[in-house]
Amino acid sequence: MKISLSKLTTKGKALFLAYDQGLEHGPTDFDDKNVDPLYILDIAKKGKYDGIIFQKGIAEKYNKEIRASKVPLIVKLNGKTSLFKGEPISRQLCTVEEAIKLGAKAVGYTIYIGSDYEDEMLQEFEGIQREAHKKGLPVLAWIYPRGKSLKKSGKTEDELMEYSARTGLEVGADIIKIQYVGKEKDLKWAVKSAGRAKVVVAGGFKEGEKELLAKVKEIINSGCIGLAIGRNVWQHKNPLEITKKIKEIIWGGKK
Amino acid sequence: MKISLSKLTTKGKALFLAYDQGLEHGPTDFDDKNVDPLYILDIAKKGKYDGIIFQKGIAEKYNKEIRASKVPLIVKLNGKTSLFKGEPISRQLCTVEEAIKLGAKAVGYTIYIGSDYEDEMLQEFEGIQREAHKKGLPVLAWIYPRGKSLKKSGKTEDELMEYSARTGLEVGADIIKIQYVGKEKDLKWAVKSAGRAKVVVAGGFKEGEKELLAKVKEIINSGCIGLAIGRNVWQHKNPLEITKKIKEIIWGGKK
Amino acid sequence: MKISLSKLTTKGKALFLAYDQGLEHGPTDFDDKNVDPLYILDIAKKGKYDGIIFQKGIAEKYNKEIRASKVPLIVKLNGKTSLFKGEPISRQLCTVEEAIKLGAKAVGYTIYIGSDYEDEMLQEFEGIQREAHKKGLPVLAWIYPRGKSLKKSGKTEDELMEYSARTGLEVGADIIKIQYVGKEKDLKWAVKSAGRAKVVVAGGFKEGEKELLAKVKEIINSGCIGLAIGRNVWQHKNPLEITKKIKEIIWGGKK
Amino acid sequence: MKISLSKLTTKGKALFLAYDQGLEHGPTDFDDKNVDPLYILDIAKKGKYDGIIFQKGIAEKYNKEIRASKVPLIVKLNGKTSLFKGEPISRQLCTVEEAIKLGAKAVGYTIYIGSDYEDEMLQEFEGIQREAHKKGLPVLAWIYPRGKSLKKSGKTEDELMEYSARTGLEVGADIIKIQYVGKEKDLKWAVKSAGRAKVVVAGGFKEGEKELLAKVKEIINSGCIGLAIGRNVWQHKNPLEITKKIKEIIWGGKK
Amino acid sequence: MKISLSKLTTKGKALFLAYDQGLEHGPTDFDDKNVDPLYILDIAKKGKYDGIIFQKGIAEKYNKEIRASKVPLIVKLNGKTSLFKGEPISRQLCTVEEAIKLGAKAVGYTIYIGSDYEDEMLQEFEGIQREAHKKGLPVLAWIYPRGKSLKKSGKTEDELMEYSARTGLEVGADIIKIQYVGKEKDLKWAVKSAGRAKVVVAGGFKEGEKELLAKVKEIINSGCIGLAIGRNVWQHKNPLEITKKIKEIIWGGKK
């Protein structure tokens, strides 16, 4: 079965709102407003995002509102706290079946390539990818190079980014989320390496608005289909305003 | 299915009696009276507790009396002794199905975030949460930061408490049991971070009665739905008297 | 279902003959006579023991004779050699189903609390306990504190014995086999800590007959239901004679 | 059921085009043309290769074109990045069932003998081999000696090559892919050691055309059924030309 | 069901031809003739061996000839290369079901007692033994003391041999294959320790013919039912001649 991305994209482009930071970083990322999943959902709804990324717990407890919002739900299937400081390992914390019950239009999973546990995450991803595709559900793979082996690999940062993108294609991801390092030409090569798999860039970086928008332009120029953005939006004093500016770059104001 | 907490709460508040210390600490916590599960059950019954927390073994061997008492049974599904001194790992020692057969109204599971085995406990919890929710059973998560990584995390004690609360929401707990450190405003923020998941505070601390009651007041003021208390009650010379005082703070004497 | 101990006890007391030393210690424990399982079975039969403890291999190869003897068969479900010197781990080497086919009236399993692998044995025990109880079969747990963590635990030897007894109750054993250290009052407290789970003492100690019988008296006085004895009997020049003396203490000569 | 190699061989010989380097080495192996799986597929089609080796992701996303090409698809079932620098472990990332759905005519799996994880790969291979043979599907085993133990083994490089070939026979591979080291007589002995299992040589080496073709001659002389070649072909400025020359050596120009 | 050894023995004695060295040691054990499984099978057939020991791969690829030979097939279910130099672990590489399909009359499995992985091999053996006995298939256990713990065990070499034999009985093997060290009286004690399980000695030793035959005599005198011999036969310039001499000792020339 061919996996359609039509529910997750607008004219082939996509802007996702990421909100898995509560588990990944803890509530230190939040303030009194954005600590509330409903505040985030409201941004996604009003900003017409192509997807909102939640862990199972939030997808479950705020399910009624999520469904009502019509924002496509992307359930993040694995996760970990930032407290453990050994080689990164992030295990499956929600099944594909459960995600579907929660109304998910796609599922996501993080693979830390280079980690001592790379093999376990690659294998766990395999099961998820297989089951999701059986049900026609697209799979997003967050692919980040991590761990103490990286130094020994002799790879530069942009080579690691490109390797991440290619890994996503090889293991069967439909959309690959990578972190943007290096220059536009490097990201272009990463996109090319990903072949028919689509690439989105993870926000992550915390910068001034001008720098952010410049980066968005590079991301789109490089052939990525869009971004999965989080803190740059929901920590912004006016999330819808910044959303609008980002969307104008992605869709040329036509969305 | 929406998970109802109605069997575990009274007017939205809760006071649970915890008695899993036999496995977690050994009988050094006990005296001639409180070594007996029936003594504890009697306190829970007369004190009209909203739940009593037992391991499978006790839930099984004293099942007739537990059912007769009408105190809601909460089966603790994992546990460990205090003897092993490596990174904490507490594995599932009772299935959800078994707990239901024993008459459980909820199940509990401890996750030591930050431990080298955080990933295994998060994943084991996932299976329990999923199965319990399938049966409409609420899930309590004890979430405690532990392990040698914590020092490297750079987090303060109250940030760790808040992180614990948020983790509970993200992974799908219905009630999150945390240890209270820091000040009332920190606990308030933890409660806020937990969103629609409810927070109870673990007793744990051993203090004078005055200090205990002052703490209970802070706990309730901060938005927690109550406490899961153990030694402060059943090691007390008059457990029902101290129970009454705690309940007056929680319910304003109206229960 | 309530688990009945009637097939394993006589007037509420029990004397079991243990013969799992072949795997646990190797044949250095044996001589030309007691190396033969039939010699042991004969002692159990003539001495009217309440149970005989074998590993699967012996229970299978001598099954006809075991059944004919009418001595209740207790299959030990896990085991290890004494050769590996790392943290102790003893894994399941026979299923409950297999034990039942062999005619077992109960199953046994060793848990080394404090070991680096405590969690794995506790969890494996859980599956056994659950399955056995489903079939109405009593479960014996050998609970021994072991491993390099014990020193750091700050517990005294008798506290460890008491902790062992309590662990057995918490995890759902019907009969708990512990090693007797310390004084009679300590063993009494261990028995009390075990609640409705019954306690038997493992022989293990190698002493003169007088000391042995004195110890048996203490064991019975402390509330234990009896002993699981091995070498003190089958290495004895006259096993039935010493059996008789032990039984007189346990049952006051009335059995 | 006897496993037929007829779909993977021409007159008993075989030339496979390997393209799993995207995962194994990253896109640094690629240029603007060969980064594209369709470019590779085109070489395989026009060069009439006996098989093309892809990971699941590529086999899925380019499935229509692969089927249309009529090139026999060999799905590589395990893989890893080159980033992790510990003892090599490459886990199953695609099931046999999935490979069959994708139209695979054979499956492949890498075993790193000598690695700390040799046992896990040998065992995972067992499941794959069993399932594939049940469906009549041939199994290729890449067998490479790796890991820090090799130095201690006292084996020479060619002994390790021969050991690889024999391991393939013993574990039930139909075609064994080894790396050619040493001299023709050593490869001959490896082929002999492989018995009824067939041997192909992995390209891997990067050399001048003359040296490459000389090596191909040795490979065929030694009794191997052919090669699984990758970079030497698709990094070549004229892949079909070099393909033709290789085939003339393998089939004497008669294919 | 009682497990019959009738298909594997002649008048209660047995001589097996072992040929799992290809995986265990690599082809350095072989020459141009004995590298070929058919050469070995021919020895077994003409020498009327009671069984021939192969790994799955050979049992599969030479199955027609094996069946035609009428030599009872013993499939070795686990194995490893000699390349990995850590604590020995040999995992299951063929299922009992698969072995039966291949026409096996028995299955074999190696347990390295004393190894860090002793527990995993004991447990894997359990599953094999259970399934094989369900189908009425005899189980051979190769039991060898190994690993760095042995030195700390304080056991002598012959005590370790005796322990191996006893372990086989306790875990349910039907035939135990041990390595002969020490003197005849030690082997006698090992045989006695094995009870109703039968003992065969592994060849392994490489000696002159005279010493070999002297050893065979001791082995038979000690009560072993025979040998599982390999290199001493198939590396011999006249395998049938040496076979004949060995058989004369085992059966007194009457077979």
Side-chain angles (χ1 to χ4, degrees):
Chain A
M1 193 196 317
K2 195 153 175 300
I3 301 304
S4 162
L5 299 181
S6 64
K7 286 179 189 164
L8 292 171
T9 50
T10 303
K11 299 181 188 174
K13 296 274 188 302
L15 184 62
F16 303 130
L17 194 57
Y19 190 63
D20 56 342
Q21 291 81 357
L23 181 56
E24 299 294 333
H25 310 150
T28 42
D29 274 13
F30 300 142
D31 62 21
D32 264 359
K33 283 194 292 186
N34 58 38
V35 72
D36 183 1
L38 293 180
Y39 177 78
I40 308 299
L41 186 63
D42 194 58
I43 298 171
K45 186 184 170 182
K46 292 186 177 147
K48 290 183 184 158
Y49 276 78
D50 295 295
I52 189 159
I53 299 162
F54 286 140
Q55 281 282 344
K56 173 171 83 164
I58 292 180
E60 219 178 346
K61 289 226 161 34
Y62 299 84
N63 202 255
K64 205 180 129 190
E65 289 87 350
I66 295 167
R67 287 180 188 269
S69 78
K70 308 282 182 192
V71 182
L73 171 65
I74 300 167
V75 177
K76 181 78 193 308
L77 297 191
N78 67 340
K80 61 173 193 60
T81 74
S82 64
L83 300 178
F84 171 57
K85 296 301 181 190
E87 287 289 289
I89 167 81
S90 180
R91 286 190 191 277
Q92 187 172 1
L93 305 182
C94 179
T95 63
V96 169
E97 199 192 328
E98 206 61 24
I100 291 172
K101 275 190 209 165
L102 292 167
K105 298 292 173 283
V107 291
Y109 186 93
T110 303
I111 302 167
Y112 296 111
I113 54 174
S115 161
D116 282 17
Y117 303 106
E118 175 195 292
D119 63 315
E120 299 190 26
M121 287 175 280
L122 283 173
Q123 192 162 53
E124 203 165 65
F125 177 78
E126 184 277 324
I128 284 166
Q129 194 264 7
R130 181 162 32 96
E131 205 187 327
H133 280 196
K134 218 173 271 177
K135 311 281 174 75
L137 212 63
V139 177
L140 283 78
W142 283 225
I143 306 194
Y144 302 153
R146 290 280 187 284
K148 62 183 190 304
S149 282
L150 293 186
K151 271 181 202 168
K152 299 179 206 161
S153 78
K155 303 262 182 194
T156 62
E157 276 222 304
D158 49 85
E159 282 174 341
L160 290 171
M161 173 183 68
E162 293 147 14
Y163 205 160
S164 300
R166 181 70 183 198
T167 299
L169 169 67
E170 299 274 345
V171 300
D174 300 298
I175 297 176
I176 304 157
K177 187 177 163 193
I178 57 174
Q179 283 161 333
Y180 180 16
V181 294
K183 300 186 176 153
E184 197 181 306
K185 71 165 178 48
D186 302 317
L187 189 55
K188 246 180 200 153
W189 180 237
V191 168
K192 197 143 199 186
S193 297
R196 286 183 176 166
K198 305 303 178 192
V199 178
V200 296
V201 165
F205 41 84
K206 179 67 199 171
E207 292 171 286
E209 195 171 306
K210 204 171 145 186
E211 290 78 9
L212 171 66
L213 296 175
K215 229 164 204 175
V216 174
K217 199 162 289 180
E218 289 172 32
I219 290 165
I220 296 305
N221 284 346
S222 68
C224 291
I225 64 160
L227 291 94
I229 205 156
R231 287 165 288 177
N232 277 299
V233 164
W234 46 252
Q235 287 180 353
H236 197 279
K237 61 182 189 305
N238 195 335
L240 292 176
E241 189 185 288
I242 185 73
T243 296
K244 203 183 156 204
K245 288 177 185 170
I246 293 169
K247 289 175 72 178
E248 274 170 359
I249 298 170
I250 300 180
W251 284 277
K254 285 167 290 188
K255 190 187 177 183
Chain B
M1 192 196 317
K2 197 154 175 300
I3 300 305
S4 163
L5 300 181
S6 65
K7 286 179 190 165
L8 292 172
T9 50
T10 304
K11 299 181 187 171
K13 295 274 189 303
L15 184 62
F16 303 130
L17 194 57
Y19 190 64
D20 56 342
Q21 291 82 355
L23 181 56
E24 299 293 332
H25 310 151
T28 41
D29 274 12
F30 301 142
D31 62 23
D32 265 358
K33 283 193 293 185
N34 58 38
V35 72
D36 183 2
L38 293 180
Y39 177 77
I40 308 299
L41 186 63
D42 194 58
I43 298 171
K45 186 186 170 179
K46 291 186 178 147
K48 290 184 185 158
Y49 276 78
D50 296 294
I52 189 158
I53 299 163
F54 286 139
Q55 281 282 344
K56 173 172 83 163
I58 292 180
E60 218 178 345
K61 290 227 161 33
Y62 299 83
N63 202 254
K64 206 181 127 188
E65 289 87 348
I66 295 167
R67 287 179 189 270
S69 77
K70 308 282 183 193
V71 181
L73 171 64
I74 299 167
V75 178
K76 182 77 193 308
L77 297 191
N78 66 341
K80 60 173 194 59
T81 75
S82 65
L83 299 178
F84 171 57
K85 296 301 180 190
E87 287 289 289
I89 167 79
S90 180
R91 286 190 191 276
Q92 185 172 1
L93 304 182
C94 179
T95 62
V96 170
E97 199 192 329
E98 206 61 23
I100 290 172
K101 276 192 209 165
L102 292 168
K105 298 293 173 280
V107 291
Y109 187 94
T110 303
I111 302 167
Y112 296 111
I113 55 174
S115 162
D116 282 17
Y117 304 106
E118 175 195 292
D119 62 316
E120 300 190 26
M121 287 175 280
L122 282 173
Q123 191 162 53
E124 203 166 65
F125 177 78
E126 185 277 324
I128 284 166
Q129 194 264 8
R130 179 161 34 95
E131 204 187 326
H133 279 196
K134 217 173 272 178
K135 310 283 174 75
L137 212 64
V139 177
L140 284 78
W142 283 226
I143 306 194
Y144 302 152
R146 289 282 186 283
K148 63 183 190 303
S149 281
L150 293 185
K151 271 182 202 169
K152 300 180 205 161
S153 78
K155 304 261 182 195
T156 62
E157 277 222 303
D158 50 84
E159 282 173 341
L160 290 172
M161 173 183 69
E162 293 147 15
Y163 204 160
S164 301
R166 182 70 182 199
T167 298
L169 170 66
E170 299 274 346
V171 299
D174 301 299
I175 297 176
I176 304 157
K177 187 178 164 193
I178 57 175
Q179 284 161 333
Y180 180 15
V181 294
K183 299 184 178 155
E184 195 180 308
K185 71 165 176 49
D186 302 317
L187 189 55
K188 245 179 200 153
W189 180 237
V191 169
K192 198 143 199 187
S193 297
R196 285 184 175 166
K198 305 303 179 194
V199 178
V200 296
V201 165
F205 40 83
K206 180 68 199 169
E207 292 170 286
E209 195 170 306
K210 203 172 146 185
E211 290 78 10
L212 170 66
L213 296 175
K215 230 166 204 175
V216 174
K217 198 161 290 180
E218 289 172 33
I219 289 166
I220 296 305
N221 285 344
S222 67
C224 291
I225 64 161
L227 291 94
I229 205 157
R231 287 165 288 178
N232 276 299
V233 165
W234 46 251
Q235 286 180 352
H236 197 280
K237 61 183 188 306
N238 195 335
L240 292 176
E241 189 185 290
I242 185 75
T243 297
K244 202 183 157 203
K245 289 176 185 170
I246 293 167
K247 290 174 73 178
E248 275 170 359
I249 298 169
I250 300 180
W251 285 278
K254 285 167 288 189
K255 190 186 178 183
Chain C
M1 193 195 317
K2 196 151 176 303
I3 301 304
S4 163
L5 300 181
S6 64
K7 286 179 190 165
L8 293 171
T9 49
T10 304
K11 299 182 188 171
K13 296 275 189 300
L15 184 62
F16 303 130
L17 193 57
Y19 191 63
D20 56 342
Q21 291 82 356
L23 181 56
E24 299 294 332
H25 310 151
T28 41
D29 274 12
F30 301 143
D31 63 22
D32 263 358
K33 282 193 293 185
N34 58 38
V35 72
D36 182 2
L38 292 180
Y39 177 77
I40 308 300
L41 186 63
D42 194 58
I43 298 171
K45 187 185 169 182
K46 291 187 178 147
K48 290 184 186 158
Y49 276 78
D50 295 293
I52 188 158
I53 300 163
F54 286 139
Q55 281 281 344
K56 173 172 81 164
I58 292 180
E60 218 178 345
K61 289 226 162 33
Y62 300 83
N63 203 254
K64 206 181 127 189
E65 289 87 348
I66 295 167
R67 287 180 188 271
S69 77
K70 309 282 182 193
V71 181
L73 171 65
I74 300 167
V75 178
K76 182 78 193 307
L77 297 191
N78 66 341
K80 61 173 193 60
T81 73
S82 64
L83 299 177
F84 171 57
K85 296 300 181 190
E87 287 289 289
I89 167 79
S90 181
R91 286 191 190 276
Q92 186 172 1
L93 304 181
C94 179
T95 62
V96 170
E97 199 192 329
E98 206 61 24
I100 291 172
K101 276 192 209 164
L102 292 168
K105 298 293 173 281
V107 291
Y109 187 93
T110 303
I111 301 167
Y112 297 111
I113 54 174
S115 162
D116 283 18
Y117 303 106
E118 174 194 291
D119 62 316
E120 299 190 26
M121 288 175 280
L122 283 173
Q123 192 162 52
E124 203 166 64
F125 177 78
E126 184 278 324
I128 284 167
Q129 194 264 9
R130 180 161 33 96
E131 203 187 327
H133 279 197
K134 217 173 273 176
K135 311 282 174 74
L137 212 64
V139 177
L140 283 78
W142 284 225
I143 307 195
Y144 301 153
R146 291 281 186 283
K148 62 182 189 305
S149 280
L150 293 185
K151 271 182 202 168
K152 300 180 205 160
S153 78
K155 303 261 183 195
T156 62
E157 277 222 303
D158 50 84
E159 282 172 342
L160 290 171
M161 174 183 69
E162 294 147 14
Y163 204 159
S164 301
R166 182 68 183 200
T167 298
L169 170 65
E170 299 273 346
V171 299
D174 301 298
I175 297 176
I176 304 157
K177 187 177 164 193
I178 56 174
Q179 283 161 333
Y180 179 16
V181 294
K183 300 185 178 152
E184 196 180 307
K185 71 166 177 48
D186 303 317
L187 189 54
K188 243 177 202 157
W189 180 237
V191 169
K192 197 144 198 186
S193 297
R196 286 184 176 166
K198 304 304 177 191
V199 177
V200 296
V201 165
F205 40 84
K206 179 68 199 170
E207 291 171 285
E209 196 171 306
K210 203 172 146 187
E211 291 79 8
L212 170 66
L213 296 175
K215 229 165 204 176
V216 174
K217 199 161 288 180
E218 290 171 33
I219 289 165
I220 296 305
N221 284 346
S222 67
C224 290
I225 64 161
L227 291 94
I229 205 156
R231 287 166 286 177
N232 277 299
V233 165
W234 46 252
Q235 286 180 352
H236 197 280
K237 61 182 189 304
N238 195 334
L240 292 176
E241 189 185 290
I242 185 74
T243 296
K244 202 183 157 204
K245 288 177 184 169
I246 294 167
K247 289 174 73 178
E248 274 170 0
I249 298 169
I250 300 179
W251 284 277
K254 286 168 288 188
K255 192 188 179 182
Chain D
M1 193 196 317
K2 195 154 176 302
I3 301 304
S4 163
L5 299 182
S6 64
K7 286 177 190 166
L8 292 172
T9 49
T10 304
K11 299 182 189 173
K13 295 274 186 304
L15 184 63
F16 302 131
L17 194 57
Y19 190 63
D20 57 342
Q21 292 81 357
L23 181 57
E24 298 294 332
H25 310 150
T28 42
D29 274 12
F30 301 142
D31 63 21
D32 264 358
K33 283 194 293 186
N34 59 39
V35 71
D36 183 2
L38 293 180
Y39 177 77
I40 307 300
L41 186 63
D42 194 58
I43 298 170
K45 187 185 169 180
K46 292 186 178 147
K48 290 184 185 158
Y49 277 78
D50 295 295
I52 189 159
I53 299 163
F54 286 140
Q55 281 281 345
K56 173 170 83 163
I58 291 180
E60 218 178 346
K61 289 227 161 33
Y62 300 83
N63 203 254
K64 205 180 129 189
E65 289 87 349
I66 294 167
R67 287 180 188 269
S69 77
K70 309 281 181 193
V71 181
L73 171 65
I74 300 167
V75 177
K76 182 78 193 307
L77 298 191
N78 67 340
K80 61 173 193 58
T81 74
S82 63
L83 300 177
F84 171 57
K85 296 300 181 190
E87 287 290 288
I89 167 81
S90 180
R91 286 190 190 276
Q92 186 173 2
L93 304 181
C94 179
T95 63
V96 170
E97 198 192 330
E98 206 61 24
I100 291 172
K101 275 191 208 163
L102 292 167
K105 298 293 172 282
V107 291
Y109 187 94
T110 303
I111 302 166
Y112 297 111
I113 54 174
S115 161
D116 283 17
Y117 304 106
E118 174 194 292
D119 62 317
E120 299 190 27
M121 288 175 280
L122 283 173
Q123 191 162 53
E124 203 166 64
F125 177 79
E126 185 278 323
I128 284 166
Q129 195 264 7
R130 181 162 31 96
E131 205 187 326
H133 280 196
K134 216 173 273 176
K135 310 282 174 75
L137 212 64
V139 177
L140 284 78
W142 284 225
I143 306 195
Y144 302 153
R146 290 281 186 285
K148 61 182 191 303
S149 282
L150 293 185
K151 271 181 203 168
K152 299 179 206 160
S153 77
K155 303 262 182 193
T156 62
E157 277 222 304
D158 50 84
E159 282 173 342
L160 290 171
M161 174 183 68
E162 293 147 15
Y163 205 158
S164 300
R166 182 70 183 197
T167 298
L169 170 66
E170 300 273 345
V171 300
D174 301 298
I175 297 177
I176 303 156
K177 187 177 163 194
I178 57 174
Q179 284 161 332
Y180 179 15
V181 294
K183 299 184 178 156
E184 197 181 306
K185 70 163 180 47
D186 302 317
L187 189 56
K188 244 178 202 155
W189 180 237
V191 169
K192 197 144 199 186
S193 296
R196 285 183 176 167
K198 304 303 176 190
V199 177
V200 295
V201 165
F205 41 83
K206 179 68 198 170
E207 291 170 286
E209 196 171 304
K210 203 172 146 186
E211 290 78 9
L212 170 67
L213 296 174
K215 229 166 206 176
V216 174
K217 200 161 288 180
E218 289 171 34
I219 289 165
I220 295 304
N221 285 346
S222 67
C224 291
I225 64 161
L227 291 93
I229 205 157
R231 286 166 288 177
N232 276 299
V233 165
W234 45 253
Q235 285 180 352
H236 197 279
K237 62 182 189 304
N238 194 334
L240 292 176
E241 190 184 289
I242 185 73
T243 296
K244 202 183 157 203
K245 288 177 186 170
I246 293 167
K247 289 174 74 177
E248 275 171 357
I249 298 169
I250 300 179
W251 284 277
K254 285 167 290 189
K255 190 186 177 183
Chain E
M1 193 195 319
K2 195 153 175 301
I3 301 305
S4 163
L5 299 181
S6 65
K7 286 179 190 165
L8 292 172
T9 49
T10 304
K11 299 182 189 173
K13 295 273 187 302
L15 183 63
F16 302 130
L17 193 57
Y19 190 63
D20 57 342
Q21 291 82 355
L23 180 56
E24 299 294 332
H25 309 151
T28 42
D29 273 13
F30 301 143
D31 62 23
D32 264 357
K33 283 194 293 185
N34 58 38
V35 72
D36 182 3
L38 293 180
Y39 177 78
I40 307 300
L41 187 63
D42 194 57
I43 298 171
K45 187 184 169 181
K46 291 185 178 147
K48 290 185 186 159
Y49 276 78
D50 295 295
I52 188 158
I53 299 163
F54 286 140
Q55 281 281 345
K56 173 171 82 164
I58 291 179
E60 218 178 345
K61 289 225 160 34
Y62 300 83
N63 203 254
K64 206 180 128 188
E65 289 87 348
I66 295 167
R67 286 181 190 270
S69 76
K70 308 282 183 193
V71 181
L73 171 65
I74 299 167
V75 178
K76 182 77 194 307
L77 298 191
N78 66 341
K80 61 173 193 61
T81 74
S82 64
L83 300 177
F84 172 56
K85 296 300 180 189
E87 287 289 288
I89 166 81
S90 180
R91 285 190 191 276
Q92 187 173 1
L93 305 181
C94 179
T95 63
V96 170
E97 199 192 328
E98 206 61 24
I100 291 172
K101 276 192 208 163
L102 292 167
K105 299 292 173 281
V107 291
Y109 187 94
T110 303
I111 302 167
Y112 296 112
I113 55 173
S115 161
D116 283 18
Y117 304 106
E118 175 194 291
D119 62 316
E120 299 190 27
M121 287 175 281
L122 282 173
Q123 192 162 52
E124 204 165 64
F125 177 78
E126 184 277 325
I128 284 166
Q129 194 263 8
R130 180 162 32 95
E131 203 186 327
H133 279 196
K134 218 175 272 178
K135 311 283 174 73
L137 211 65
V139 177
L140 284 78
W142 283 225
I143 306 194
Y144 302 153
R146 290 283 186 282
K148 61 184 191 304
S149 282
L150 293 186
K151 271 181 202 168
K152 300 179 205 161
S153 78
K155 303 263 182 194
T156 63
E157 277 222 303
D158 50 85
E159 282 173 342
L160 290 171
M161 173 183 70
E162 293 147 14
Y163 204 159
S164 300
R166 182 69 182 198
T167 298
L169 169 66
E170 299 272 346
V171 300
D174 301 298
I175 297 177
I176 304 158
K177 187 178 164 194
I178 57 174
Q179 284 162 332
Y180 179 15
V181 294
K183 300 184 177 153
E184 197 181 307
K185 70 164 179 48
D186 302 318
L187 189 55
K188 245 180 202 156
W189 179 237
V191 169
K192 196 144 200 187
S193 297
R196 286 184 176 166
K198 304 305 178 191
V199 177
V200 296
V201 165
F205 40 84
K206 179 68 198 169
E207 292 170 285
E209 196 171 305
K210 203 171 146 188
E211 290 79 8
L212 171 66
L213 296 174
K215 228 165 205 178
V216 173
K217 199 160 288 180
E218 288 172 34
I219 289 165
I220 296 305
N221 284 346
S222 67
C224 291
I225 64 160
L227 291 94
I229 205 157
R231 286 165 289 177
N232 277 299
V233 164
W234 46 252
Q235 285 180 353
H236 197 280
K237 61 182 189 304
N238 195 334
L240 292 176
E241 190 185 288
I242 185 74
T243 296
K244 202 182 158 205
K245 288 178 185 170
I246 293 168
K247 289 174 73 178
E248 275 171 358
I249 298 170
I250 300 179
W251 284 276
K254 285 168 289 189
K255 192 186 177 183

